[in-house]
Amino acid sequence: MSPKSAMRERHLAYRRHLRARPGLKRELDQAITAHAVDYLSSFGGENAAAYVPLASEPGGDGFVASLAAACRRLFLPVSLSGGVLQFSPHDHALAPGALGIAEPVGARFNSNVLRSCRVVIVPALGVGRDGMRLGKGAGYYDRALAGLDVPTVAVVYEREFVAAVPHDPHDVPVNAVITERGVRLL
């Protein structure tokens, strides 16, 4: 098993542990959401992009609605074939997408729309202190963030913010991380 795969499995096991303890997960997710809202608010209500958390991911049920209330326009990803993300403004209507992830319905834009955002919030399975992000391995976000000159922040549980994550030359680092303990600039 590669180092990336081994770390992914450890972090996924921790997330399964949290899902088996819904009260604890809800508490952590509420703290993460509060920190994310504060972080977005520090950008003065400008456009932002985020993601709809899966049941196992940090953020929980109220994540998207809370973020949307803290910015002018919130863009959410739409997964396409070939590892490509498009983005659509959040208008409260979500439907299951190609990968079974809730996605917005409506106008779609390529990743260039992220340049209109003051911050892009991305999911991760782990983040190293150097900003390297461990994703699920398909490279969707690495492709969308490549060459982007907008602050990016990954959302993980504190336990997933580690000294280092294995990475490849094509992996794109983030500028900050949000955990239940707060926001850290990297």
Side-chain angles (χ1 to χ4, degrees):
M1 183 179 294
S2 75
K4 273 188 170 184
S5 295
M7 183 174 276
R8 280 187 189 107
E9 185 49 44
R10 283 192 309 275
H11 291 206
L12 288 170
Y14 176 65
R15 290 183 179 188
R16 286 189 297 272
H17 164 81
L18 288 178
R19 283 198 67 196
R21 289 152 185 82
L24 173 59
K25 185 175 184 324
R26 186 172 31 261
E27 181 181 317
L28 297 176
D29 289 344
Q30 287 172 345
I32 286 168
T33 298
H35 293 304
V37 166
D38 288 346
Y39 185 71
L40 272 187
S41 296
S42 73
F43 290 97
E46 299 284 329
N47 289 349
Y51 63 97
V52 180
L54 296 171
S56 62
E57 291 180 324
D61 293 336
F63 188 70
V64 170
S66 296
L67 296 181
C71 62
R72 179 178 342 141
R73 182 181 248 182
L74 183 67
F75 290 92
L76 298 173
V78 176
S79 301
L80 303 178
S81 63
V84 174
L85 290 179
Q86 287 189 335
F87 292 83
S88 183
H90 173 55
D91 67 0
H92 309 289
L94 299 173
L99 302 176
I101 300 169
E103 296 177 343
V105 296
R108 293 181 179 180
F109 304 93
N110 66 29
S111 60
N112 286 327
V113 77
L114 299 178
R115 289 173 169 67
S116 75
C117 297
R118 289 283 291 144
V119 64
V120 178
I121 298 174
V122 299
L125 280 170
V127 177
R129 303 223 184 274
D130 60 356
M132 294 310 297
R133 174 188 157 275
L134 179 68
K136 291 184 178 177
Y140 280 84
Y141 277 95
D142 291 317
R143 282 186 280 285
L145 300 177
L148 186 65
D149 190 23
V150 171
T152 55
V153 57
V155 179
V156 294
Y157 294 111
E158 184 68 25
R159 182 174 174 161
E160 299 164 340
F161 182 45
V162 297
V165 299
H167 60 278
D168 296 313
H170 66 268
D171 291 334
V172 177
V174 294
N175 305 105
V177 64
I178 298 174
T179 75
E180 67 271 18
R181 292 192 183 167
V183 178
R184 291 183 191 83
L185 301 179
L186 306 174

